[in-house]
Structures are given as structure tokens and as C-alpha cells.
Amino acid sequence: MSRTVNTGSNGLSRVHSGPSPTLPAGLSLPEAFHWLLEAGHKDLLGVSEQLLMVDREPAKVLALFGHRELWAWAHDQTQAVMGWQPLPFLDGRPVRLLWTQWTTLGAISGAIFALGAPDVEQATPAQEPAERPGDIFADVVPGTSPAATAIRGQLASWVGRCLCVRVTGPRGVGKDYVARALLSTQERLAPGRLMDPLVVDDPKLIIGEIWSTRVRDAIERGRPLFIRDLHSVPDRDVHVVFEWVTRAVASATPLVVSHAPWASDFSARRWEQVLPEQIRIPELVSRPEDLPELVRALGHATFGQRCDLKLTAGALRLLSGVRWVGNTAELEAVVIDARRRSGTDRLSENWIRLPSGATGGAGLADLERRAVQDALERTGGNRTAAAALLGISRSTLHRRLKAQGV
């Protein structure tokens, strides 16, 4: 391996560690990445603050760390990182710096690393259990209901296929989370050359010159596209966004869009025409059996893997009767609030504060009465045992029974 330093007129240096001939000076991150690929390098990681490019083997280990973490680590490294250095993440694989790009202020604006083999003490691929496509979506759509199982099956069916799909559902059901997970897992099980998706938070921006140029560039390079809230595009502007979506589909660009129910039949027909396949995420009220697993997953996401949130019978009955206006997002706020106030992983109805109007047809008093009655029936009328089952003190149970006229 040779090391050359090309010094520009501004006195700053571009450092390359790679085979002769040396990379041409002034290449951008994508250009350098593809130059190294053409030169025979494999298993490359190219990273900047805005862009991540991956080839082959690194795509399998991307789930172990995020783009921002990788960029922060790369930015802390300098041209001194010429030998094999371990990644500061669980996989422990070493990387070697092949190329860096510097800004006029002397900071790294992009870097490309070669990924090495894992430590010899790690299990070989033959010893590791084969990962099924459905397994990687267990945390994305937790639960045992038929709806959750069907959604995971749909997500798994897209692995390895040309991705062009709509993720639909009411507000707050987690459409964007599912869409991002679907994009991120494509290359994990079907490794290849990968770039971070271009995320369009407001599809109306595509009508403008700046974002239309970004979308065009993404389509030409095969960069994945994620367009949020497609339903927000007014009928008068649908044809403009529709043209870009059609181009993406025709060029086999990985594309995921999310949307709530359409505002008009005109928009619905147009989008269903170009993106006929959809993954629908239903409201929580239609799958109450998923609540225990969903609450546990929310706890892991917020408080870490050591947090194991569990619902008491009374809490489960209370939450199952709620008509969640904001769905998963609203449930998450309630769970986080209950966990922080209780200080424990066992959530009883005593710590749950529901949002105003969330109980739908059943009032909070009715839900509380049902929970108390159910606990008394299950304990044969033993108030001490019933209070323990509900996660409240015996005196609190006595006050509630008195208030209910029991």
C-alpha cells in the first residue's frame, strides 16, 4: 500500500492510502467511492456528514451502529489512521482509511474506509444461526395479533426485491418508523452498494427547484428515496410530484412513501396507479393483544434494553379500552410518563394518565370499575390480593370501592 499527499494551492492536504495509481485529486465522496470500486477494492464504507455509501460486507453490519455515530468516529480520526483500527462498536471489525477529503477549514468532510474481517474469536458465519427476514422486523412491529404478524410478513416479502411501496395508515401509527426500517433492512439481508436514503419530509418541496434537483440526482444515482406525508400534496400540484415518483419507479430506484388517508379521490387514484402495492398499519384499537409487546418495545427504545416494562392486569384492561387518537405516538407518551413517575418497570393503572378524550366510548370511571371487579373476581374477593394485582395499596383500593358504592 502506498501513501501520497497531494497539496493544493490552499496548502491543505488530501491524504490517500491505497494502491498505485493514486486517486485523482479533487474527487467528491461518491466519485472516490466508485473509483475505488472500479480499482478492485471491496467492502468499502464511505461516510460524510450527509451521506453514507456501503459496498457488500459492510451492509450486513450497518445495523450495529448509526450513520451519525460512524461519521462522528470518522471525523475524530485523522490521516494518522493508516493501519487497521477497530470500529468502536459491537462488531469489533477493523477498518483501514483509504481516502479523506478536507474542507478549507482543515476538517474532514468525507472519508472512505476498507472493512476488515471480524476478530478470530468471533463465531464464524457457519456457526451463527441463520437470520430469517421476519426476525429483523420483530421490534419494528411488535405483537402477536394477526395484523402484526401480517405486517411483518409483508415487510419480509420486500427483502431482496425492487422496493416501491406505500406505507399507509392513520396518524401516529408509526408509518415513518416502519418505512425507515424497511429501507434500512434491504441491504442488510441483500447486501450490495448502498447509500443513505434521501428523506423528503414535505413532498410539496419537490415542486421547487432545489428539491427537484436533489430528487433528480438521487434517481440518477440509484439513491433510495423516502417521501413522507404524500397525502399533504394539494390536487393542483399532484401532477408535478407524480412525475418524479413515476421516474423513480421506472428507473427501479428504491422508493418508500408514507401517507394517511387521501384528502380526495383524485389523489388516491393517481398514487394507487403508480404505486399499487401498500403496507397498511392499522390503529391500535384494532389489535389490543399487541399492547404488552408494544409497551415493552417502547420501554427498550426510550430507557434501554435493560428496561423491561410490564403491565398489570388493571393497566392492560385500562389501555385496551382506549381509543388512541394519536395511536403509537400517543401511547408512547403515556407509557414514558407512567414509567418516569412510578420509577419501576411494573406499570399499574395507578400511574397511567390518559390524554383527554382518549377513552372513546367507555369512560375512565367505567374502565376503572371493570378493572377492580376483574381483580376481585380473580382473587376470590380478597382485597389485599386484588390490590396487589392492580398494583395499588389496599387503602387505595378501599377508597375506590367506596367511591364506586361497593
Side-chain angles (χ1 to χ4, degrees):
M1 303 294 285
S2 64
R3 176 181 173 182
T4 63
V5 179
N6 300 331
T7 304
S9 58
N10 58 8
L12 298 178
S13 62
R14 236 176 236 107
V15 179
H16 309 285
S17 176
S20 297
T22 307
L23 280 78
L27 296 183
S28 65
L29 176 65
E31 291 170 336
F33 187 86
H34 289 293
W35 192 97
L36 287 166
L37 286 173
E38 294 298 326
H41 283 280
K42 300 299 179 185
D43 302 340
L44 301 182
L45 285 160
V47 63
S48 70
E49 189 172 10
Q50 303 295 334
L51 181 65
L52 174 67
M53 302 181 71
V54 183
D55 175 65
R56 292 195 175 187
E57 185 67 21
K60 299 179 182 179
V61 299
L62 276 178
L64 298 175
F65 48 85
H67 173 202
R68 294 296 179 185
E69 292 177 297
L70 179 61
W71 166 242
W73 179 84
H75 194 270
D76 289 340
Q77 313 305 309
T78 65
Q79 60 246 60
V81 188
M82 285 295 140
W84 289 103
Q85 301 290 329
L87 276 171
F89 305 107
L90 298 179
D91 186 77
R93 301 192 185 200
V95 294
R96 181 178 60 220
L97 180 65
L98 293 180
W99 175 92
T100 53
Q101 176 79 44
W102 299 84
T103 68
T104 56
L105 298 177
I108 292 178
S109 63
I112 297 177
F113 300 89
L115 184 71
D119 294 338
V120 294
E121 296 180 359
Q122 292 184 332
T124 62
Q127 295 172 310
E128 296 174 351
E131 185 175 37
R132 296 176 300 172
D135 294 342
I136 62 176
F137 297 108
D139 292 333
V140 178
V141 187
T144 58
S145 69
T149 303
I151 294 169
R152 289 195 295 269
Q154 284 184 285
L155 294 173
S157 71
W158 282 100
V159 174
R161 296 169 54 192
C162 179
L163 186 62
C164 288
V165 65
R166 293 179 288 125
V167 180
T168 69
R171 178 172 65 89
V173 293
K175 301 184 295 294
D176 292 348
Y177 180 66
V178 170
R180 290 176 186 272
L182 185 57
L183 279 169
S184 68
T185 52
Q186 290 302 293
E187 297 296 337
R188 183 174 164 193
L189 291 186
R193 296 171 189 177
L194 171 70
M195 292 179 282
D196 272 359
L198 174 65
V199 180
V200 184
D201 289 318
D202 183 355
K204 296 188 291 295
L205 293 173
I206 300 177
I207 300 169
E209 182 179 353
I210 294 177
W211 274 93
S212 63
T213 301
R214 292 177 180 176
V215 171
R216 180 190 297 111
D217 180 65
I219 294 173
E220 290 176 353
R221 294 161 54 199
R223 180 181 182 183
L225 273 171
F226 174 34
I227 304 177
R228 300 179 62 240
D229 298 336
L230 200 60
H231 60 275
S232 66
V233 180
D235 286 353
R236 67 178 182 274
D237 296 326
V238 163
H239 68 285
V240 180
V241 183
F242 182 85
E243 178 183 354
W244 287 111
V245 171
T246 304
R247 289 190 191 183
V249 173
S251 64
T253 299
L255 171 67
V256 180
V257 304
S258 67
H259 68 80
W262 302 115
S264 70
D265 291 339
F266 171 77
S267 295
R269 288 195 300 270
R270 294 286 280 175
W271 296 120
E272 290 170 1
Q273 173 187 351
V274 67
L275 291 170
E277 297 198 61
Q278 69 170 330
I279 299 172
R280 187 179 182 281
I281 315 298
E283 294 179 302
L284 287 183
V285 72
S286 67
R287 48 191 184 105
E289 57 267 55
D290 292 341
L291 282 171
E293 289 298 323
L294 185 53
V295 167
R296 185 176 292 109
L298 291 173
H300 289 165
T302 305
F303 303 104
Q305 290 295 323
R306 292 187 177 182
C307 177
D308 188 20
L309 294 184
K310 294 181 179 179
L311 299 172
T312 64
L316 179 58
R317 183 178 290 274
L318 176 62
L319 295 179
S320 297
V322 173
R323 188 155 198 90
W324 298 99
V325 178
N327 289 284
T328 305
E330 195 170 51
L331 173 65
E332 181 179 21
V334 171
V335 168
I336 292 174
D337 176 68
R339 170 63 174 77
R340 285 175 174 165
R341 287 188 299 103
S342 69
T344 69
D345 289 348
R346 189 169 181 268
L347 303 183
S348 72
E349 61 173 359
N350 196 42
W351 299 109
I352 294 175
R353 296 292 181 266
L354 297 177
S356 177
T359 54
L364 181 57
D366 292 334
L367 294 172
E368 181 180 290
R369 185 178 295 106
R370 293 177 193 172
V372 171
Q373 291 174 351
D374 178 68
L376 288 171
E377 289 175 4
R378 293 175 61 183
T379 59
N382 186 317
R383 294 191 177 188
T384 301
L389 187 62
L390 292 169
I392 59 179
S393 66
R394 192 178 188 283
S395 59
T396 300
L397 176 59
H398 177 73
R399 287 196 300 271
R400 293 188 179 184
L401 287 173
K402 186 176 181 180
Q404 296 173 10
V406 179

